[in-house]
Amino acid sequence: MQRRRSLPVLTATIVLGLGLTTTLAACSGGDDRTPTRSPSATRSASATATATPTRTPVASAAPTSGTTPSPSASTPSDDQTGPADDGTGPGTGNGSGVDQPDSVDFAAVTAQGVAAAGGGTVVSLVGSGDNWTVLVSGPDGSQTQSVVSATLGRVTSGPFPKDADSATKAANVARAGALQVKADAAATSAVGAVSGSTLTSLVLGGSGSAPVWTATLSAGGATRSVTVDGVTGTATAA
């Protein structure tokens, strides 16, 4: 009788022990509060980190307020290394760099004026030194004006048309038809009539049958006038 009562007690003790062990295991699992990352969350974070590039700041290239710009970028170059201009070389524009040549070749000067006008007769020559204004009358009496350099031997300004009324045009045509002494020869005769003189102007006048050149000369600070017959070439100082 004693053995039969011991078996149920032992069985109950074993069952009670197993139940206590299960309860303790369940309580121990509930205390772990560390969340487990799902595979999908891990992949999402990794993809986000990979898709977003890292931007590196770039330093500004703008110059500081104390930077001085290069002169060559804004200021024209002024080359001072070339040879000095002593004024003896050929010039440009209305002169040659020589204000007072030793002599003037009036034949060359007047020929340049006529060529620039396309032909005609010189009716006026005005100037001094290097620059001479040559006025040419064409076959119809129209006038053309040019500036000629005596040193360069060429036109430096013009040719330009010069207005003239019908009476002046007709007179020019008549005088040119009777003229035997051209402007260059008249200038040479006039200067030869007054010792030490230089020509300042020569103008064709008179009539169609008796053309006359009137020359204005400078001699010793004084002004002299000389007439030259357009047919005979005789010079007469006033």
Side-chain angles (χ1 to χ4, degrees):
M1 294 296 293
Q2 182 68 29
R3 291 179 180 178
R4 291 178 180 178
R5 287 196 293 269
S6 300
L7 182 58
V9 172
L10 180 58
T11 302
T13 302
I14 292 172
V15 171
L16 181 61
L18 291 173
L20 180 60
T21 302
T22 301
T23 301
L24 291 175
C27 292
S28 174
D31 291 337
D32 186 7
R33 299 181 181 179
T34 303
T36 302
R37 296 183 180 179
S38 66
S40 63
T42 303
R43 287 195 299 271
S44 177
S46 175
T48 302
T50 304
T52 305
T54 302
R55 295 183 179 180
T56 304
V58 179
S60 174
T64 62
S65 59
T67 302
T68 302
S70 174
S72 61
S74 58
T75 305
S77 175
D78 183 13
D79 184 10
Q80 300 292 338
T81 61
D85 183 5
D86 59 4
T88 60
T92 58
N94 281 354
S96 64
V98 179
D99 293 332
Q100 296 294 332
D102 294 335
S103 63
V104 175
D105 185 347
F106 291 113
V109 170
T110 55
Q112 287 294 323
V114 171
T121 301
V122 175
V123 295
S124 174
L125 180 63
V126 179
S128 63
D130 184 54
N131 295 318
W132 293 88
T133 300
V134 183
L135 184 63
V136 177
S137 174
D140 61 351
S142 61
Q143 300 182 129
T144 303
Q145 179 174 290
S146 302
V147 177
V148 178
S149 166
T151 303
L152 294 177
R154 62 176 175 83
V155 172
T156 55
S157 180
F160 304 107
K162 186 174 178 60
D163 291 338
D165 55 31
S166 57
T168 300
K169 290 180 179 180
N172 284 338
V173 172
R175 292 165 186 154
L179 190 65
Q180 299 297 318
V181 179
K182 299 291 182 67
D184 58 307
T188 302
S189 295
V191 171
V194 178
S195 178
S197 65
T198 58
L199 181 73
T200 59
S201 71
L202 181 70
V203 179
L204 180 62
S207 64
S209 59
V212 177
W213 292 101
T214 300
T216 302
L217 309 176
S218 175
T223 300
R224 298 288 301 274
S225 179
V226 174
T227 59
V228 179
D229 190 300
V231 176
T232 65
T234 302
T236 303

